[in-house]
Every structure is written in structure tokens, then in C-alpha cells.
Amino acid sequence: MVKEKCDILTSDLLKLTILVTLVYSIVMYFIIKPFLKFVGTPDYMIQPAWKYNLILMCFSLFTNLLTTEQSFISSIGRPILGALIGIASKIFQCLILDPLFLFAFKVPTMLMKLSKIVMEILFSISIFVVIFKGKFSIKPKIKQFFSCKFCKETLRSLPFPLPFTIAFVTSFIPPMIILKALTDIAKQTGDSQSIGGVFAVFTQLSGLNAAIPSMLTTSFMQTGTHAYSSGNITRLKHLLFWSLLIALAISISFSFALIVFKRQIASIFIHDIEELDIAEKMLPIPFYTSFVSGFLTIAMALLMIIGKPLLVLIPTVLGPINLIISCIILKKIFKNDYVKLMHSYNISDIIGVLVYLGMFIYAVIVVKKAEKEKTQKHSDEKT
């Protein structure tokens, strides 16, 4: 009975991926141009940029389908296979398709992502066929995929991606507000033009700092969910320990490097002396506390694993709000010092740790309780 529900759930999620992508693509068709104008794209670039994004959007179905399929493979306890598929797809794209399209066929800039599109079409369709051929432990049927009904388990699973969706959407707002606050104050010293370039570098470095912990979070959530649902609490504890250790180690190392070698790292992206001087002051500040992202992402994953996705919404929503409020307050306090506004990130990190720490302790208690119940059950079966 449980296995049949898993089969139907897999079919539903693949079907839902396609339906949501189609709706999203239709909406984005009308939003792309206004958004390009909003972010300040020059008029002569709007049409080419719209066409470039439109091409990617038309084939985003295969991008999302491949992502869902890889998540499926990891969720059934085959993370190594999922990783190998990811590596193979990138090798195929970068070493075979990219040289073929760029140098042999000399495709125009508008089609420079053609290799990615072709790779995702081939891999997503191939894995889709393998899944419905019953080659994995979960064996969905093609008739289930074409059914117009969704099972109850699918509806219950819908809250799980909400924290990630909200986090993705809200991640755009605070940087825009902080950048505006920075440039407003910097106008008094004539540094407003330099601020944009420095903040762009910070945004990229911040994204890189969060990338590896986020990757570990995805892996931990998939393998951890499988371990927790199957009652293998010992494996879950090992996964939690190593994920947390590796995420913190990488985050701390990255933050340390940015703080100590700030000018050298900034000089990779910035060549103007004035901008380098500003970067040397601004860039290290957020990284004083950014190492906590390693803990925050793993704590979020653990809450998802124990089936508390709505609980994750609290810090997910509070994070951007804290960042915006901190920026507004600091702007009023330090009216002539735009560098101090970067401490908004430190304040937000500290509040985030306090909120997530309480939730993390709660999640650990739930896991301990599950382990105790399993031990008691085994003990009763022996007697």
C-alpha cells in the first residue's frame, strides 16, 4: 500500500513540475520586459535580452524536469548515482556540446545557451523513460502520470517547497533596498557610482559563500529524509554531524579568507583604485558573521526532514525583514557613513542564529524521541 502511494506520488510530482513550469512560463512571458526596464536595462538591450531569456524560458520545462528527476534519485537512497548524473551532464555539455556549437557551428550570442538546452532535453527525457520503465525501487506507471487526479500525499507535500520559494523571492528585495541606502549616503561623498560596482562584487561573493552549504543542505535533506522515514535514525545522526561539520568548516574558511585577504580578492574583480579602497572597507563586514549560514541551512534542512516545513517559514520570512529594518535603522544612525550600513548583515545573521537555534534544538529533540521509540519497539519485539 505504501509503495503504491510512493509510485503515485512520484508520478504526481513529475506531472506537477510540468504543469507549474507551463504556468510560470506563460506569466513570465508578460513580465520579462517590465522587469528588464525596472532593473535599468538600456533601451537598446531590452529586446535582445527579452529574446535571450525567452529562449531559456521556452525550454525551462526540461530544466525543472531534470532537477525533479535528480531529486527523485537521491530521495530513494541513490545520492551517488544522482551526483554522477549531474557530473556526466556537465561534462557532456561543457566538453562536447559547447565546443560543437560555439566553435564548429559558430552559433550567435543569442543561442550561446543552446548546449545547456540540448543537454537538459536529452538527459531529462532519458531519465524520465528509465523511471517509468521501472528501473528503480519506486516504479510509477505511465497511466498514473497521465491521470487527471492527484493523490492526498501530493497535496500534503505541497507545503514543503514553500520556504525555498519564499526565500528565493524575498532574496531580491533586501539587496535592492540596501544598495539604494548605500548610494543615497554615498552621494554626499561622491562615491555613489563606485558603490554599485563594489556591491555587485559583494553580491557575487556572498552567493558563492552560500553555494556550498546550500548544496550540502540539498544532499542532506534528500538522504536525511530517506533515513528518517525508513527509521534509520543512526544514519540520520551521522548525516547531520558530517553535513554540519563540513558546512561550518567551509563557511568559516571562506569568511576568514574574505576578511584577511579582502583587497587581494577584490582586486580580481575591481581594478579602479578608488573602488578598491571602498571594497577594502565594505566587503569584510558582512563576512564577520556570514559563517553562520552553514548552521542555518542545515538547521532548515533538519526541520524539513522531520516534517515541519511551515515552521521554517518563520525564519525564512523574518530574515529579509530583519535585514531591511536593520538597514533603515543604521541609515538613520550613521547618516554620513555608508560603510556602517553593511553591519545590517551582521545583525540579521545574529538574529537568524538565535531563531534557528531554538528550532534546531526542537528538531533534535524530535529525532531523539523517534530514536527512543524505535529502540523501545525493538525491545518489545524481542520480549
Side-chain angles (χ1 to χ4, degrees):
M1 185 67 178
V2 174
K3 188 178 179 303
E4 184 181 350
K5 288 182 178 179
C6 290
D7 295 344
I8 298 173
L9 178 62
T10 301
S11 299
D12 284 356
L13 292 178
L14 290 169
K15 179 168 52 182
L16 198 60
T17 298
I18 294 173
L19 293 175
V20 170
T21 303
L22 291 174
V23 173
Y24 166 82
S25 299
I26 293 171
V27 173
M28 287 304 297
Y29 176 84
F30 298 99
I31 292 179
I32 290 177
K33 279 188 178 180
F35 179 77
L36 290 171
K37 292 178 181 178
F38 175 75
V39 298
T41 306
D43 291 339
Y44 71 92
M45 283 294 296
I46 288 179
Q47 190 64 20
W50 179 76
K51 289 181 179 179
Y52 176 82
N53 284 282
L54 183 63
I55 292 170
L56 293 176
M57 188 180 65
C58 288
F59 293 96
S60 61
L61 168 64
F62 300 99
T63 305
N64 296 335
L65 187 60
L66 181 59
T67 301
T68 305
E69 290 166 348
Q70 287 181 287
S71 298
F72 161 76
I73 292 170
S74 297
S75 67
I76 60 173
R78 305 286 297 275
I80 295 177
L81 177 59
L84 289 174
I85 291 173
I87 294 170
S89 65
K90 294 305 177 185
I91 291 175
F92 180 65
Q93 176 188 339
C94 298
L95 299 185
I96 298 176
L97 295 180
D98 273 338
L100 184 66
F101 290 128
L102 295 177
F103 302 115
F105 297 150
K106 299 185 184 301
V107 297
T109 306
M110 192 71 65
L111 299 175
M112 64 184 299
K113 290 288 186 180
L114 187 59
S115 60
K116 179 178 181 292
I117 292 171
V118 173
M119 177 276 291
E120 289 171 344
I121 291 174
L122 293 176
F123 273 75
S124 62
I125 292 176
S126 299
I127 297 173
F128 185 88
V129 171
V130 172
I131 290 173
F132 282 94
K133 282 283 187 180
K135 301 298 182 182
F136 296 106
S137 56
I138 304 298
K139 305 178 188 299
K141 309 293 189 298
I142 196 67
K143 66 179 182 179
Q144 295 170 345
F145 177 78
F146 287 108
S147 171
C148 296
K149 296 181 180 179
F150 289 96
C151 66
K152 293 181 179 179
E153 283 69 23
T154 301
L155 300 176
R156 291 170 185 166
S157 68
L158 291 181
F160 282 84
L162 278 179
F164 297 99
T165 305
I166 293 174
F168 177 77
V169 173
T170 55
S171 65
F172 292 104
I173 301 172
M176 292 170 62
I177 294 174
I178 292 173
L179 179 58
K180 187 178 186 306
L182 286 168
T183 52
D184 286 346
I185 296 177
K187 286 177 182 178
Q188 301 174 25
T189 57
D191 295 330
S192 58
Q193 291 185 344
S194 301
I195 287 294
V198 174
F199 194 78
V201 172
F202 160 70
T203 303
Q204 296 302 316
L205 292 173
S206 179
L208 185 61
N209 181 48
I212 296 179
S214 296
M215 176 188 69
L216 287 169
T217 298
T218 303
S219 302
F220 171 56
M221 192 163 61
Q222 292 171 347
T223 53
T225 300
H226 183 269
Y228 185 71
S229 60
S230 62
N232 193 345
I233 306 300
T234 301
R235 187 188 183 203
L236 175 61
K237 289 164 65 177
H238 288 162
L239 288 168
L240 174 61
F241 173 78
W242 285 108
S243 297
L244 195 57
L245 181 65
I246 295 171
L248 283 173
I250 292 172
S251 298
I252 291 172
S253 301
F254 192 90
S255 298
F256 178 79
L258 257 297
I259 294 169
V260 176
F261 305 106
K262 47 188 176 290
R263 192 175 185 91
Q264 293 88 332
I265 293 174
S267 64
I268 298 173
F269 310 96
I270 300 172
H271 304 291
D272 182 80
I273 299 299
E274 183 182 348
E275 288 189 9
L276 269 177
D277 292 338
I278 295 173
E280 192 172 9
K281 297 175 185 177
M282 285 178 54
L283 285 183
I285 295 175
F287 294 98
Y288 293 156
T289 54
S290 67
F291 64 89
V292 302
S293 63
F295 166 73
L296 299 182
T297 53
I298 297 301
M300 180 182 71
L302 184 60
L303 288 166
M304 298 287 284
I305 287 169
I306 64 171
K308 303 294 180 181
L310 296 180
L311 198 59
V312 181
L313 286 176
I314 298 172
T316 302
V317 174
L318 281 179
I321 293 174
N322 291 334
L323 201 52
I324 292 169
I325 293 175
S326 301
C327 176
I328 294 171
I329 294 173
L330 290 177
K331 185 182 178 182
K332 290 184 177 181
I333 297 174
F334 303 102
K335 297 179 180 180
N336 300 315
D337 190 353
Y338 56 82
V339 175
K340 292 290 195 297
L341 295 186
M342 298 301 285
H343 286 290
S344 303
Y345 290 94
N346 304 133
I347 297 170
S348 180
D349 286 338
I350 292 169
I351 294 174
V353 167
L354 295 175
V355 174
Y356 263 117
L357 186 59
M359 294 185 176
F360 181 76
I361 293 171
Y362 165 73
V364 170
I365 292 173
V366 171
V367 172
K368 285 283 187 182
K369 184 179 179 181
E371 184 179 32
K372 186 178 179 180
E373 289 176 353
K374 183 184 177 184
T375 304
Q376 184 65 41
K377 184 178 179 181
H378 284 175
S379 178
D380 292 342
E381 288 176 351
K382 288 180 180 180
T383 56

